[in-house]
């Protein structure tokens, strides 16, 4: 029994850390590759966009981007932002489903997938400049809806307030809490030992830039992104509760973090994805697709 509990604790640590957008965990991308276009070239742009997968230059760095689906006049481009240590491969199946009715683009952030590593530590604002450069090339003047998961959700939510002329909707799928660093310290005391101490330390280190993207993401208040449609979806399977001693507390602060994101807009909606863990767009693809299309439709009105 002790071995089982130990194994569960370690698994919870891995999932929790990834959930907070912190550290890499072993993950099998098999099954996400279907529909991924690894073509080295892009077809002729349509409505200012690109089709296929290719590396482009943004802010002097090589960025791997992919777009699919036909542009529709009057509809926003959906841009998917993956979580930490995820990228085009991980979101391929989700994007393929979305592209059946929408134009969808995504990219590997600097330090992720096939994109170039950042030259040094990145701020959230610096990461946003890369996103702006990508949007310039894949969407042009077309409005966008950002669909972000985990750390990608946090970045989407931080980006939108400063780009209200371009971002017309948000879908945040189990997005990293705007106060993730403080959340962990609130639940796990400095006196904690073992896996709990490791999680606390890894959270602090990752928030200070010890991650693949060299991204520093300090806690910050949620700012208004205007009167745009926002759907915040949190996990329904309480797997964080499996973490020894502090599991219930981790679930509580995670849920509180999701509620904080609703301050982005007076048109925010918070829902729970039943039977879903952290990867909502995998566990409940149909629900995630429905949310994106709902926000996109409202943004087009």
């Amino acid at each position: 029994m002790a071995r089982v509990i130990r194994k569960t604790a370690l698994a919870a640590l891995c999932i929790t850390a990834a959930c907070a957008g912190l550290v890499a965990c072993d993950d099998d991308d098999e099954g996400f590759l279907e529909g991924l276009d690894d073509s080295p070239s892009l077809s002729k742009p349509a409505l200012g966009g690109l089709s296929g997968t290719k590396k482009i230059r943004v802010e002097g760095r090589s960025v791997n981007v992919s777009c699919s689906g036909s542009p529709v006049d009057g509809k926003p481009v959906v841009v998917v932002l993956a979580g930490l240590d995820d990228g085009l491969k991980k979101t391929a199946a989700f994007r393929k489903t979305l592209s059946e009715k929408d134009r969808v683009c995504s990219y590997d952030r600097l330090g992720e997938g096939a994109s170039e590593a950042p030259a040094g530590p990145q701020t959230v604002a610096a990461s946003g400049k890369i996103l702006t450069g990508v949007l310039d090339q894949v969407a042009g003047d077309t409005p966008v809806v950002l669909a972000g998961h985990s750390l990608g959700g946090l970045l989407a939510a931080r980006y939108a307030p400063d780009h209200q002329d371009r971002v017309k909707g948000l879908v945040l799928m189990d997005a990293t809490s705007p106060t993730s660093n403080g959340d962990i310290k609130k639940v796990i005391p400095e006196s904690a030992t073992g896996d709990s101490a490791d999680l606390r330390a890894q959270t602090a280190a990752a928030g200070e830039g010890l991650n693949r993207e060299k991204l520093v993401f300090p806690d910050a208040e949620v700012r208004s992104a205007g009167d745009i449609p926002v759907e915040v979806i949190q996990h329904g399977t309480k797997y964080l509760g499996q973490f020894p001693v502090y599991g219930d507390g981790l679930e509580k602060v995670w849920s509180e973090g999701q509620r904080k994101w609703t301050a982005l807009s007076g048109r925010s909606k918070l829902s729970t994805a039943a039977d879903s863990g952290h990867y909502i767009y995998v566990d409940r693809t149909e629900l995630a697709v429905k949310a994106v299309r709902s926000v996109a439709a409202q943004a087009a009105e």
Side-chain angles (χ1 to χ4, degrees):
M1 179 62 72
R3 292 182 61 186
V4 172
I5 294 175
R6 173 67 176 173
K7 182 176 181 181
T8 301
L10 291 174
L13 173 61
C14 180
I15 296 171
T16 301
C19 191
L22 305 176
V23 299
C25 298
D26 290 337
D27 186 34
D28 184 0
D29 283 331
E30 186 178 357
F32 294 95
L33 299 177
E34 183 180 359
L36 180 64
D37 183 357
D38 286 319
S39 170
S41 63
L42 293 167
S43 63
K44 186 176 180 179
L47 292 181
L50 305 172
S51 294
T53 301
K54 184 183 180 179
K55 293 181 180 179
I56 61 176
R57 300 296 295 181
V58 179
E59 296 286 323
R61 316 301 287 181
S62 176
V63 179
N64 196 41
V65 303
S66 183
C67 291
S68 57
S70 300
V72 179
D73 194 18
K75 291 191 66 176
V77 174
V78 176
V79 179
V80 177
L81 279 70
L84 189 72
D85 294 330
D86 295 332
L88 295 183
K89 291 183 178 181
K90 189 74 174 183
T91 63
F94 176 56
R95 290 185 288 112
K96 181 181 180 182
T97 301
L98 280 172
S99 68
E100 293 172 0
K101 295 183 179 180
D102 298 276
R103 175 153 173 82
V104 184
C105 295
S106 189
Y107 68 106
D108 290 325
R109 294 190 298 274
L110 295 186
E112 302 286 3
S115 287
E116 192 173 353
Q122 290 193 95
T123 61
V124 171
S127 181
K129 287 184 178 180
I130 300 298
L131 175 55
T132 294
V134 170
L135 295 182
D136 287 342
Q137 297 190 51
V138 305
D141 295 329
T142 304
V144 301
V145 166
L146 301 181
H149 170 253
S150 196
L151 184 61
L154 180 146
L155 294 176
R158 295 284 189 231
Y159 183 85
D162 295 323
H163 299 85
Q164 296 182 35
D165 59 328
R166 171 172 262 170
V167 180
K168 300 303 180 181
L170 289 170
V171 178
L172 308 181
M173 297 170 283
D174 231 27
T176 299
S177 168
T179 53
S180 61
N181 301 295
D183 291 347
I184 298 295
K185 293 178 180 179
K186 177 181 177 181
V187 176
I188 303 177
E190 190 173 2
S191 59
T193 59
D195 294 329
S196 298
D198 290 342
L199 176 57
R200 195 180 194 276
Q202 288 169 344
T203 302
E208 295 170 359
L210 294 181
N211 53 68
R212 285 186 182 181
E213 300 176 37
K214 300 180 181 179
L215 178 68
V216 180
F217 52 99
D219 292 347
E221 294 292 326
V222 177
R223 296 181 295 132
S224 172
D227 191 32
I228 63 173
V230 176
E231 290 220 17
V232 180
I233 312 173
Q234 63 182 351
H235 65 260
T237 301
K238 298 185 181 298
Y239 60 87
L240 296 177
Q242 299 177 22
F243 198 86
V245 184
Y246 305 107
D248 290 343
L250 292 172
E251 285 287 354
K252 181 179 179 180
V253 294
W254 187 264
S255 183
E256 290 173 349
Q258 302 310 295
R259 284 195 294 273
K260 289 176 183 178
W261 285 128
T262 63
L264 283 161
S265 169
R267 297 171 65 190
S268 294
K269 174 185 175 183
L270 173 62
S271 62
T272 300
D275 301 319
S276 175
H278 183 49
Y279 283 89
I280 295 171
Y281 65 87
V282 176
D283 297 340
R284 294 294 307 279
T285 303
E286 78 293 344
L287 185 151
V289 169
K290 182 179 180 181
V292 171
R293 287 179 176 162
S294 174
V295 168
Q298 293 176 66
E301 294 177 352

